[in-house]
Amino acid sequence: METNPTVAINISDDLYGLSGTKSDPRDLPEPDVYIVTCDALRIPAHSSILASVSPVLENIIDRPRKHRSSERVIQITGVPYDAVLAFVRFLYSSRCTEEHMEKYGIHLLALSHVYLVPQLKHRCIKELGQRLTIENVVDVLQLAKMCDAADLYLKCLKLVANHFKAVENTEGWKFLQDHDPWLELDILQFIDETASRKKKTSKLREEQKLYLQLSEAMECLEHICKEGCTSVGPYDMEPDHKRGPCSKFSTCQGLQLLIQHFATCKRRVNGGCLRCKRMWQLLRLHSSMCDEPDSCRVPLCRQFKLKMQQEKKKDDARWKLLVRKVVSAKTISSLSLPKRKREEELGETRCSHGIRSFKL
């Protein structure tokens, strides 16, 4: 009767990867269990060490044997012998070489999940995440899902979503289409949701940018009407042309040009000038935000406030929403600044960036 061949490595050859550690492999007792791999090769091991590291191996070892005299055997098949050997070495030494991780990382992740070795599982997840490529991402993704490796699974999904055209041509993706259509559907849904989320985020960012520009324009308008800037100032104060530009001059300059045009435009009364309409909208927005219309020096602030109270137009709700958005954008922008910079901003009444076309 033929017998299974035994691994041609003895304990003194550092089968368990203990060289360089405080443990001497020659101090270990005689092996009392054998791990049999898919090649019918046998790795001698110690039940006490295996049981202390893996609760699954402990349960296997504690199973009653048919004959007391029979040797203890643990079957680990489905992965290469060298991967099993690297797994056993980790159980003994808690170490895994870069070479073994490079060659057998996928197999070690599967083994660490099946036999509940969390330290090795975390190492494999980290290493596989750093070694993701277009060619292996689908294989790693499938394994990550089976092994409940959520972080690695998400990282794979993101790589597939960002490089789908290239991934679509790999053998892994073709195999996935033929054998796991549900996972293919999950991936396609993730890609669709990611694209929708990017569009929504981009839209919100653009809206936030617009609201912040409007908030800055409101500050500039108050600054010009209270203190004056380079070419435009309060009606009872001569513009100081020697005054240097304010610290955030680009918006102030654009608003001064708009005010100068508004004051001299002949088409303003008939409502045929788009620039004048924009100025009316800015004045109305200021009035909607102003808390002190009686003492405010911005032109038409009190008149707009009274007119809105009297007419109560249907679009009043839209203006209230706009006001909230503009105030909120300024608050968020202020909170994102460092504390010192935020205190400087609160002490200033001037604003930044250029005026763009506002669609109110």
Side-chain angles (χ1 to χ4, degrees), residues 18 80 92 110 130 179 228 232 237 249 291 300-301 305 318 322:
L18 295 174
Y92 276 81
Q130 294 174 348
H179 297 85
V232 178
M237 181 186 302
F249 180 62
D291 295 327
L300 305 177
C301 177
K305 184 79 73 174
R318 293 175 57 194
L322 177 63

Side-chain angles (χ1 to χ4, degrees), residues 136-150:
N136 72 9
V137 66
V138 175
D139 295 331
V140 176
L141 185 147
Q142 290 176 288
L143 181 62
K145 184 177 182 180
M146 290 187 290
C147 294
D148 298 325

Side-chain angles (χ1 to χ4, degrees), residues 39 42 136 165 173 231 316 344:
D39 300 323
R42 307 201 310 169
N136 72 9
K165 291 294 183 183
W173 179 259
S231 58
D316 188 56
E344 292 176 359

